[in-house]
Amino acid sequence: MESPSILKHLRDIIIMPFTVTFVVPYLLYDSKDELIPHNSNFKIIGWLIAVAGSALFVYTVFLFKTLGHGTLAPWEPTKKLIVEGPYRYCRNPMITGVFSMILGEGLMLYSANILAWAVAFFIINTLYFIFVEERSMMQRFGSDYLKYKKHVPRWGLRLTPFKLLNS
């Protein structure tokens, strides 16, 4: 099974996560919308959240390429169900990483607009997963996905790592 090229991964990263983590926040940022008090703790916490989210995002993209043989884009989905790494604890760690990057940006920039975008991003993705992605995963991966979905939360963390027995 061959994975998509690095160029396809970069294309999809630019189209999707780059847009939602850099382009949209850039367009939303207004130094006058600062409802959060200026406090160096917010800036430090924001940096930590954004860096952790970035690391999680990079790791999940690596898993999509090496184990899933697909990209993060719905037009080139994974060919194999990934139940390794952070996917053993949460069904959507990639989006959790992207959400964390946006949340971190909002805190670093003291921006209510960017924090509101983080909330909107989370809601949009939750609806997308419920009505589109989970149906697609069921069609592609069948009973393995049903077992995975039953035992691993969409958001939040499972306390013990999930292991799909027939993988």
Side-chain angles (χ1 to χ4, degrees), residues 88-161:
R88 295 175 72 192
Y89 301 92
C90 173
R91 289 199 321 256
N92 297 298
M94 182 181 292
I95 294 300
T96 302
V98 174
F99 170 76
S100 298
M101 292 188 308
I102 300 167
L103 180 64
E105 285 177 296
L107 292 172
M108 284 186 283
L109 297 170
Y110 311 107
S111 174
N113 287 349
I114 296 173
L115 291 173
W117 166 235
V119 171
F121 174 82
F122 180 80
I123 291 167
I124 291 165
N125 276 281
T126 298
L127 294 172
Y128 173 77
F129 285 125
I130 292 169
F131 296 111
V132 179
E133 179 76 10
E134 291 176 5
R135 289 179 184 169
S136 170
M137 299 283 283
M138 180 58 205
Q139 289 172 349
R140 290 192 338 255
F141 305 119
S143 63
D144 282 348
Y145 179 70
L146 275 180
K147 286 180 217 164
Y148 178 66
K149 182 179 174 182
K150 179 181 177 183
H151 295 285
V152 179
R154 180 183 298 121
W155 305 115
L157 288 175
R158 179 184 159 96
L159 296 178
T160 59

Side-chain angles (χ1 to χ4, degrees), residues 1 7 21 25 42 44 48 66 76 85 94 96 112 140-141 158:
M1 197 178 312
L7 290 177
T21 59
F42 283 126
I44 292 166
L48 293 172
T66 59
E76 194 141 5
M94 182 181 292
T96 302
R140 290 192 338 255
F141 305 119
R158 179 184 159 96

